[in-house]
Amino acid sequence: MSKIAEKFGIKQALKDLGLSEINHGSSTGTNWFSNGEVIESYSPVDGALVGKVKATTKEDYEKVVSTAEAGFKEWRKWPAPQRGEVVRQFNEELRRLKEPLGKLVSYEMGKSYQEGLGEVQEMIDICDFAVGLSRQLHGLTMHSERPGHRMYEQYHPMGIVGIISAFNFPVAVWAWNTALAWVCGDACIWKGSEKTPVTSVACQNIAAKVFEKNKVPAGISCLITGDYKVGEMMTQDERVPLISATGSTRMGKKVAQTVAGRLGKSLLELGGNNAIIVTPDANIKNTVIGAVFGAVGTCGQRCTSTRRLIVHEDIYDKVKDAVVNAYKQIKIGNPLDENNHVGPLIDKDAVKNYQNALDKVVEEGGNILVEGGVLDGDGYESGCYVKPAIAEAKNDYEIVQHETFAPVLYLLKYSGDVEDALKLQNGVRQGLSSAIMTNNLREAERFLSVEGSDCGIANVNIGTSGAEIGGAFGGEKDTGGGRESGSDAWKVYMRRQTNTINYTTELPLAQGIKFDL
């Protein structure tokens, strides 16, 4: 255990979460088994070993799926409020273990401790939402055109939900899916990121103990672990009717093609290239706060991170100077130390992508306003710490058209009215999150209109990052079109059925057709 881990209580956190020196990465509840190779997880905070997890083999996977299938057949018959009660108890355990789980998220992934705690809070919030939802899985009653008939819609559990999550939100995205899927009556098989496997095991530990206590059938909460090949076992499996996948657009396209090929369903949460439009009527102070947190929070590794700042020419220099000055105040370092704002990137591959993006924007004619670079020396031994950078650029630069999962912010200038800014904002393939900073009501409404932002999330006078549990989360275009979390996102985890009941002694046929026997 490293000095940082000792100082900030990581050893105790691992103990509280029931983790061992070597953990199994396959689970059907409290039954743990794995026969694959050992995955070693190293912290980007200090380069030290977090833990070891055994990967899932094909044989392990078959055991998981068969157990999930059997468990689902029983779980779907539990009344939804009873399923909600189990989720409520899971929620209570998350509240009790919020601190150690938040520390593990911070240490294994690299986001700040406060962000780690915030991510666990998202788990708690979605469980609260799911518990209420367990008594509100409403259908519709409709009038039939035939006398003596009643029509209605109802929703039934989908079956097994396969969840593929990314390293940047190693616990929250799993909970967004499972909390809703569980109250809907589904079984869940989760493949967490191979970059944060210890955190995945910790979450499964918490759920498994609660489920065992409530005599929930084995297989309702399952874990598999490994690289993309393990994920492919699920995407190709006809026994898994729904795949919820979070990650890059490149990954999502492969998942979508594979699942569609077997006529399965996909819920895709993919890349973002999010912009904030800053009009002449913007509040500059709030603009800086929203832009800086959006660009450097989680070291730029959020799908909702602010990538582009589109500023009107009349206030361009004023906004530029304010943002550049704010970057001078950013503290980079150990994310478990609450005095620091920005932690490390996830690994050295991410560092290379960051460096390549800065090289590319200069090659295309951009101007670096805030120099980037990799930090070394005391406290930066992992080689994953980088300086948040700002570059003046144009929207049609190739590098600007792509998402770089790192703290690189592109400053773009527009002239004219909000229409011109919207052309720039919408002029990328991604369509996740967007924002406008303005005190002009017409500009705000235009931004939110059918001809405005083409993103799944459109905010006024707040930044692009972050999302509340109550609203459906997701985006359009290359972001995949999926919706998770609040609103009526629960419907994706269920199958819709239309029912017609004839309560007469006759059988009238449609269009007045006579068929007498």
Side-chain angles (χ1 to χ4, degrees):
M1 188 65 63
S2 70
K3 291 181 180 179
I4 286 178
E6 289 282 359
K7 179 179 179 180
F8 290 94
I10 300 301
K11 184 176 182 179
Q12 184 62 46
L14 294 172
K15 181 179 179 181
D16 292 342
L17 295 167
L19 295 163
S20 306
E21 184 178 345
I22 299 181
N23 303 276
H24 288 288
S26 306
S27 167
T28 55
T30 55
N31 185 18
W32 293 85
F33 50 90
S34 295
N35 297 292
E37 64 182 15
V38 173
I39 299 172
E40 295 182 334
S41 176
Y42 292 92
S43 171
V45 175
D46 57 5
L49 181 69
V50 180
K52 300 177 182 180
V53 179
K54 289 185 178 180
T56 300
T57 65
K58 180 64 175 176
E59 292 73 23
D60 297 334
Y61 175 77
E62 288 299 323
K63 184 175 181 179
V64 167
V65 175
S66 61
T67 306
E69 280 189 305
F72 166 68
K73 291 177 181 178
E74 180 183 342
W75 179 242
R76 65 183 175 180
K77 293 185 287 187
W78 285 40
Q82 289 185 18
R83 298 192 296 252
E85 168 58 18
V86 175
V87 173
R88 186 196 67 78
Q89 293 179 36
F90 174 61
N91 189 0
E92 289 299 314
E93 281 298 285
L94 290 175
R95 292 174 187 273
R96 185 177 71 84
L97 296 169
K98 180 178 178 179
E99 182 177 326
L101 185 55
K103 281 186 178 179
L104 178 57
V105 168
S106 177
Y107 187 60
E108 188 172 33
M109 184 267 151
K111 64 175 58 177
S112 73
Y113 178 46
Q114 286 303 315
E115 289 182 277
L117 292 175
E119 188 173 345
V120 180
Q121 185 62 47
E122 285 192 41
M123 301 175 77
I124 293 168
D125 292 344
I126 195 61
C127 286
D128 283 340
F129 183 92
V131 173
L133 179 66
S134 69
R135 295 180 182 272
Q136 300 182 71
L137 300 174
H138 302 308
L140 293 173
T141 297
M142 297 153 286
H143 290 280
S144 172
E145 65 185 35
R146 290 168 285 188
H149 288 61
R150 180 166 74 88
M151 291 180 64
Y152 68 93
E153 289 181 344
Q154 61 178 335
Y155 289 85
H156 292 305
M158 179 76 70
I160 298 176
V161 175
I163 302 164
I164 300 173
S165 63
F167 73 86
N168 61 328
F169 279 86
V171 300
V173 171
W174 170 69
W176 284 5
N177 284 272
T178 51
L180 300 191
W182 286 335
V183 299
C184 288
D186 297 315
C188 294
I189 301 176
W190 177 30
K191 193 201 90 66
S193 172
E194 64 271 28
K195 296 182 180 183
T196 53
V198 179
T199 301
S200 299
V201 173
C203 290
Q204 175 68 355
N205 265 339
I206 299 170
K209 292 174 183 177
V210 173
F211 280 29
E212 183 181 48
K213 176 183 175 183
N214 286 274
K215 295 180 171 57
V216 173
I220 302 308
S221 180
C222 296
L223 178 69
I224 57 176
T225 301
D227 61 15
Y228 72 95
K229 294 178 182 178
V230 175
E232 286 178 347
M233 296 180 194
M234 281 202 302
T235 60
Q236 296 170 358
D237 194 340
E238 293 184 353
R239 296 168 295 179
V240 184
L242 173 65
I243 297 291
S244 175
T246 302
S248 68
T249 296
R250 179 179 59 82
M251 179 275 287
K253 287 181 177 180
K254 292 181 179 179
V255 169
Q257 290 170 4
T258 301
V259 176
R262 59 178 176 84
L263 296 182
K265 295 183 178 180
S266 298
L267 191 169
L268 301 174
E269 298 289 358
L270 311 177
N273 195 347
N274 317 296
I276 298 177
I277 295 172
V278 188
T279 80
D281 289 314
N283 179 306
I284 303 299
K285 178 182 177 181
N286 289 346
T287 295
V288 173
I289 293 172
V292 173
F293 177 73
V296 307
T298 321
C299 201
Q301 296 171 116
R302 296 181 180 220
C303 53
T304 55
S305 291
T306 305
R307 308 289 177 199
R308 298 173 296 145
L309 196 60
I310 303 170
V311 186
H312 193 275
E313 60 182 1
D314 289 353
I315 58 169
Y316 181 83
D317 288 337
K318 186 175 182 180
V319 171
K320 177 177 72 173
D321 292 344
V323 173
V324 168
N325 185 61
Y327 267 51
K328 297 176 182 177
Q329 303 170 50
I330 294 172
K331 295 180 180 178
I332 309 164
N334 172 16
L336 293 163
D337 183 343
E338 296 182 51
N339 292 313
N340 294 322
H341 303 115
V342 179
L345 289 172
I346 185 64
D347 55 28
K348 292 182 179 179
D349 285 339
V351 173
K352 290 178 183 177
N353 290 335
Y354 158 85
Q355 292 173 308
N356 289 340
L358 291 177
D359 291 341
K360 184 67 175 176
V361 74
V362 172
E363 290 174 12
E364 294 193 70
N367 176 42
I368 301 295
L369 293 174
V370 175
E371 292 285 345
V374 182
L375 296 169
D376 55 20
D378 188 31
Y380 304 122
E381 290 86 355
S382 70
C384 297
Y385 290 87
V386 301
K387 300 176 185 177
I390 302 176
E392 290 180 299
K394 294 183 179 179
N395 205 57
D396 59 0
Y397 287 179
E398 182 183 358
I399 190 61
V400 177
Q401 289 286 310
H402 293 85
E403 177 187 44
T404 300
F405 230 49
V408 178
L409 177 65
Y410 300 115
L411 215 57
L412 313 176
K413 184 188 294 186
Y414 81 96
S415 57
D417 57 22
V418 73
E419 304 282 347
D420 298 289
L422 281 165
K423 289 179 182 177
L424 294 175
Q425 182 207 279
N426 296 342
V428 294
R429 281 301 310 154
Q430 306 84 358
L432 178 53
S433 187
S434 58
I436 188 170
M437 295 291 185
T438 182
N439 289 320
N440 184 308
L441 180 61
R442 289 191 177 90
E443 289 179 334
E445 290 293 341
R446 179 65 183 80
F447 176 76
L448 299 174
S449 75
V450 69
E451 298 177 298
S453 172
D454 64 2
C455 297
I457 299 169
N459 299 327
V460 177
N461 290 330
I462 62 172
T464 62
S465 63
E468 292 189 32
I469 289 303
F473 179 89
E476 302 301 323
K477 301 190 296 187
D478 277 4
T479 301
R483 291 297 185 276
E484 293 175 322
S485 193
S487 186
D488 65 349
W490 61 271
K491 292 181 180 179
V492 75
Y493 305 100
M494 306 194 83
R495 57 181 178 88
R496 186 195 306 241
Q497 186 179 81
T498 301
N499 308 114
T500 304
I501 300 172
N502 175 12
Y503 56 88
T504 73
T505 59
E506 304 293 332
L507 182 55
L509 302 177
Q511 288 80 45
I513 295 173
K514 300 294 184 180
F515 189 66
D516 297 323
L517 293 176

